[in-house]
Amino acid sequence: MIELLFLLLPVAAAYGYVMGKNSAKNLAHEQNRKITSEYSKGLKFLLDREEDQGLEHLIQLLEVSADSVEHYLTLATLFRKRGELDRAIKIHELLIEQPNLETELVKSCRLELAQDYVMAGLLDSAESNLVVLVKAGFADAREPIIQLYSQTRDWEKGINMYEAYSDLFVDKNSCSAIANFYCEAALESNDVLLLDKATKLTHQAIRPLYELGLDAFNRQDNVKAIYYWRKLLSEYPQIAPLIINDLQTCYKSLNIALEYYELIEELLPNSGVTIKIKHCQGLIEAGETATAIEFLTDSLKREPSIRGFSYLLQLLSTKNVKIQDVLGEIDHLVTSYIATKPDYQCHKCGFTSHKLYWLCPSCKTWESVVPNRGLDGY
């Protein structure tokens, strides 16, 4: 009998192991079934617009498992797309209150919550959540908070945020935005020192140098205007049409027109048709009209331009009196055509306008709207 017991001990141990393993599987299966059941109930309540009961079930489920967070985020995104922002907000608020979620996941949920608030027009609530993220060094909050302050025109808040957390705002787009915050604040307060601060960011933006040059030009400080605008052209030659005429006035006022045309020569390799026309004007002043016509004709063969063609017609009419009236009429038609074309275009979203916007009205990007190039451009 004892021998039989000893023989049965290994069998009993194996049986106990198998039963224990099956019991653990059954427990896990039961837990998964419970999670699925609660999750389904929560979804049904939410879809039936019974938010309170739905969220109660979701809260219970979150306490059971944090692995279902992605499902909630997907659901909240669905509600947001449908315009049911109150539901999206409730889900995101529920998620960020869970103590068992990873820190980075909570930050992502808070960012989604801030975007819900923006879409709902609750800008103060959006700002408070974005500020929390900026203080935590969350880089993904950088663009949304810049867009928020751009929308609310809270230039001072944007500047204070940058000065407190400058390490987070070092990319080119952020520097362009912050530089424009300084410029807007400077124009409102008439404080030129703010423009100087805007030139000291990690990346040089267009507008600070433009505004500093314009301020000097309006005060008839031609030397400073030339300094700022030449520096601007060296980095951003594409904006030459904005300032080239006023810059020419500065040089002529100082009786150094020769240096102006030397600048035009420097800009020629990377310039549009505006600079080419200025080069032709310099040649004409030097009595070299034929050279100017030849230069512009060759340029237009390589890079066709309606504005360049219009100017070429004007040059040809001065050389041939017999066809002056015909060329003048053609030039009038060309000029009328040019007037219908936009002067500026956003290089990011393609928005076009006859007016310069420092902040693109379409994609809300700072300094993306520049003078148009190409066949109809400058």
Side-chain angles (χ1 to χ4, degrees), residues 121 207 297 338:
R207 194 176 178 189
T297 301
I338 292 173

Side-chain angles (χ1 to χ4, degrees), residues 7 45 76 106 112 153 178 186 234 240 251 260 273 287 300 310-311 343 362 367 375:
L7 289 172
F45 280 126
V106 172
E112 294 296 324
R153 300 180 64 84
I178 299 301
S234 68
Y251 277 99
Y260 168 76
V273 70
L300 291 175
S310 175
Y311 186 72
D343 296 318
S362 177
E367 296 191 356
L375 182 64

Side-chain angles (χ1 to χ4, degrees), residues 233-241 263-276 295 303 373 378:
L233 287 174
S234 68
E235 299 189 40
Y236 298 98
Q238 71 271 23
I239 57 86
L263 171 64
I264 296 299
E265 289 279 355
E266 294 174 14
L267 295 173
L268 270 179
N270 300 313
S271 69
V273 70
T274 298
I275 298 301
K276 292 181 173 65
F295 167 80
E303 296 180 62
R373 295 289 290 266
Y378 292 97

Side-chain angles (χ1 to χ4, degrees), residues 150-168:
S150 298
Q151 180 180 346
T152 59
R153 300 180 64 84
D154 286 328
W155 316 124
E156 187 174 348
K157 282 186 178 180
I159 291 170
N160 292 338
M161 174 197 63
Y162 164 74
E163 292 181 348
Y165 306 99
S166 57
D167 291 345
L168 191 65

Side-chain angles (χ1 to χ4, degrees), residues 29 105 117 193 209 214-215 227 243 255 262 265 282 298 308 319 328 336 351 357 369:
H29 178 73
L105 191 54
Y117 283 135
L193 293 178
L209 292 173
L214 185 60
D215 175 71
Y227 168 77
I243 59 175
N255 294 318
E262 289 175 354
E265 289 279 355
D298 291 341
K319 293 289 289 182
S336 299
F351 168 82
Y357 291 94
V369 179

